[in-house]
Amino acid sequence: MSWTPPAGRYAAMPYPHCGRSGLRLPAVSLGLWHNFGAEADLERQRAIVRTAFDQGITCFDLANNYGPPPGSAESNFGRLLEADLRPYRDEIVVCTKAGYTMWPGPYGDWGSRKYLVASLDQSLKRMGLDYVDVFYHHRPDPNTPLEETMAALDWIVRSGRALYAGISNYNGEQTRRAAAELRRLGTPCIVNQSKYSMLVRAAEADLLPVLEQEGIGGVAFSPLAQGLLSDRYLGGALPGDSRAAGGAGFLKPEHVTDERLRIARALDAVAREGGGSLAQLALRWVKRQPAITSVLIGASKPEQVLEAVRAMQMPALTADEIAAVEAILAGA
């Protein structure tokens, strides 16, 4: 089936600068953490990716271990890139990461130079790319000197394997130290990817101020709390194709508690009063933070992509809406 993205695809999507860098990211990025592994239907993956690009989503976020099995999301994205996106390579931002277990033995995990360089070379081969736009260290390594990990990121950029360096799952102090080391080496840290949602707010006091001070862009992952901040669970029963029911990711049936459902339903009422969905409220609430450049969504169907894009086109949350959300969360 032939596909040509619409000529006006960039008209409605905001593209804020990523921190103080020249790179601009879409307000919504598409993550391939779930639903893009070997067991997922490739044509559904294609429909999601096409819909995203049609709507001006230019940033596609991966990691070496995304699947299952690990590596298969990158392999599938490589197929989609070759089939559809290759003519638009210079219009998209491809991100990948390394930092979690990828192969057996002492060199397939964490943050050594050997692991990071070898992992990225494997990622490039799986995706059929000469370089990625952003390469992240996926998590801090307590047993490797930070200087070695940051030097590896610096060398990866200088070698042409990546255009920009980033970090993920680093807290505020770790981010400050990593940014200082990369600045000393001459390769700035432009982006930090961290978990942030209405239900997970540690970043507000610890990380977001550091990002603003350091001029680092924030990318928020799990802004919908693995689907809890959507309409999927409001009825109380677990949908058969949901993450909680299927055991995918970190959302388990025991996490869908009566108290969390009470909070979600109260937030949903705020969202409906404002003319949107719970998911749209959750995305707008995260994106309102000045330090957040892009909200990173997952999707199992194209309609979820469209819902997220529409959220970025809605008016900013009012003071009354923010106050209503804060009152609900304060009682959590």
Side-chain angles (χ1 to χ4, degrees), residues 80-91:
L80 299 175
L81 183 69
E82 190 61 34
D84 292 328
L85 292 176
R86 183 69 64 183
Y88 310 99
R89 174 63 184 98
D90 293 336
E91 298 181 38

Side-chain angles (χ1 to χ4, degrees), residues 155-168:
W155 185 84
I156 281 168
V157 170
R158 293 180 187 277
S159 72
R161 289 167 168 83
L163 301 184
Y164 299 95
I167 53 178
S168 181

